[in-house]
Amino acid sequence: MTRYVMAIDLRRCVGCQTCTAACKNANATPPGVQWRRVLDLETGEFPDVRRSFVPVACMHCDEPPCEEVCPTKATTKRPDGLVAIDYDTCIGCANCVMACPYEARSIVHEVKFAYGDKPIKSEEVRFDPARISVSMKCTFCIDRIDLAAKTGQVPGRDPDVTPACVNSCISGAMAFGDIDDPNSKVSRLLAENKTFRMHEELGTGPGVYYIWDKA
């Protein structure tokens, strides 16, 4: 079986927000909607204070709460671990928005562009009217993953079939791939380092692993 996951090395993330910009460019999300965000956190007490950056998005959970509450079955977990939304089936009830413990979902009810009524080039090319008045979120660039099945390329290794945020990371903090493949980059990273998953105690089984130290 294939199970796609993401690994993010918090020791490397510099909070530059390039992943956020790359995601917005790749998906033409409307103003105010960011599928990929970077949390800026301050921990400790003076004078021992530390600043940390934590990229967040849909966690593509093993047990996604959003799927459980969807009345039309528009949200489904695929065999490869990606949590997908069928925009034609979604009725925009927002049950999933409220159920997601990661605040990863959004709904917008009118067309908006970054600079007024006219779309910029990326919006013109990638804007999807099917996403109006329905739930939307990070898809792990699902179109690229599906392309890999046709081209024989490997997600996480070949840029054309790897999520835009991972390709864009200037510090190499982000990795993507099949956790069930022991030779994949993510499998090696997880084996060599200490990790945690956000809100793991909720039993959602997030598909995003955060690296924080050597094993």
Side-chain angles (χ1 to χ4, degrees):
M1 293 293 291
T2 296
R3 172 56 165 117
Y4 289 117
V5 302
M6 185 173 288
I8 301 174
D9 193 334
L10 300 181
R11 301 166 301 180
R12 286 178 169 267
C13 181
V14 296
C16 67
Q17 307 272 354
T18 302
C19 58
T20 301
C23 175
K24 183 164 280 290
N25 179 69
N27 296 288
T29 54
V33 174
Q34 295 177 333
W35 290 357
R36 168 70 56 188
R37 297 173 291 132
V38 180
L39 304 181
D40 188 341
L41 306 176
E42 185 176 293
T43 55
E45 295 183 2
F46 179 84
D48 186 16
V49 178
R50 180 183 179 90
R51 191 178 181 192
S52 302
F53 304 104
V54 183
V56 295
C58 173
M59 298 293 169
H60 294 272
C61 302
D62 288 329
E63 302 292 339
C66 51
E67 180 183 34
E68 184 179 345
V69 300
C70 181
T72 63
K73 306 303 179 186
T75 291
T76 55
K77 180 193 165 195
R78 305 195 330 175
D80 61 5
L82 272 63
V83 176
I85 302 173
D86 184 339
Y87 299 133
D88 292 330
T89 305
C90 179
I91 58 174
C93 68
N95 280 4
C96 59
V97 176
M98 294 181 286
C100 176
Y102 306 102
E103 300 182 355
R105 291 181 170 237
S106 304
I107 298 178
V108 295
H109 296 286
E110 56 186 36
V111 177
K112 291 183 179 179
F113 298 113
Y115 299 101
D117 297 330
K118 293 185 178 180
I120 58 176
K121 193 63 178 179
S122 63
E123 292 172 325
E124 189 177 295
V125 173
R126 301 183 181 94
F127 170 72
D128 186 356
R131 296 201 306 242
I132 300 299
S133 295
V134 297
S135 181
M136 57 178 169
K137 66 174 188 68
C138 158
T139 66
F140 271 173
C141 288
I142 199 169
D143 54 327
R144 300 184 184 206
I145 307 305
D146 290 342
L147 177 63
K150 301 175 183 177
T151 63
Q153 294 171 292
V154 179
R157 186 190 71 188
D158 299 308
D160 288 345
V161 293
T162 297
C165 57
V166 177
N167 287 336
S168 72
C169 183
I170 64 171
S171 64
M174 306 178 78
F176 182 83
D178 180 7
I179 196 174
D180 288 343
D181 176 4
N183 297 314
S184 69
K185 183 177 181 179
V186 289
S187 289
R188 295 197 307 271
L189 284 171
L190 298 183
E192 296 167 0
N193 294 280
K194 295 179 180 179
T195 64
F196 71 89
R197 292 185 291 174
M198 194 171 288
H199 296 313
E200 202 168 3
E201 72 280 1
L202 298 178
T204 55
V208 177
Y209 292 77
Y210 293 96
I211 297 170
W212 60 278
D213 201 358
K214 279 283 186 184

